[in-house]
Amino acid sequence: MLWASQMEQGFSASIWASYKQWEERGCQVRKGEKGTPIVYWGTVDIEPDDDNEDASKRMFVRYSHVFNADQV
C-alpha cells in the first residue's frame, strides 16, 4: 500500500516513518503535510493465569499514519 501511495503522490523516496519516528531522528514533518494511513496486524503470546490454562496467542491491530521522507 505504501508503494502505491508513493507512486500516486509522486514521492521519490521509499522511506516511511511515523511523526514520532521522524522527530526522534531530528527531522520535522513539514507543516500541512498529510500522513498515509497504515494498519499493522500482529500477535502477542498470552501466559496462562493458572495451571488449567494453556499458553495462547492473541491477535491485535494497530492503526497509524506515516510520512514519506519527501515530506520532512
Side-chain angles (χ1 to χ4, degrees):
M1 294 303 294
L2 291 178
W3 174 79
S5 181
Q6 174 187 346
M7 292 295 124
E8 179 185 331
Q9 297 181 53
F11 296 142
S12 61
S14 60
I15 301 169
W16 297 85
S18 69
Y19 186 90
K20 185 176 180 181
Q21 289 171 324
W22 284 122
E23 190 175 55
E24 289 171 354
R25 287 162 179 74
C27 301
Q28 176 64 50
V29 175
R30 289 190 301 245
K31 186 176 182 173
E33 293 287 349
K34 304 291 184 201
T36 301
I38 61 168
V39 178
Y40 173 76
W41 293 87
T43 59
V44 63
D45 293 326
I46 305 296
E47 296 294 325
D49 289 337
D50 55 30
D51 295 334
N52 295 335
E53 294 183 21
D54 293 332
S56 62
K57 290 189 178 207
R58 291 228 174 125
M59 291 188 70
F60 68 91
V61 63
R62 187 171 293 150
Y63 176 80
S64 184
H65 285 84
V66 293
F67 297 87
N68 188 277
D70 289 348
Q71 295 176 286
V72 297

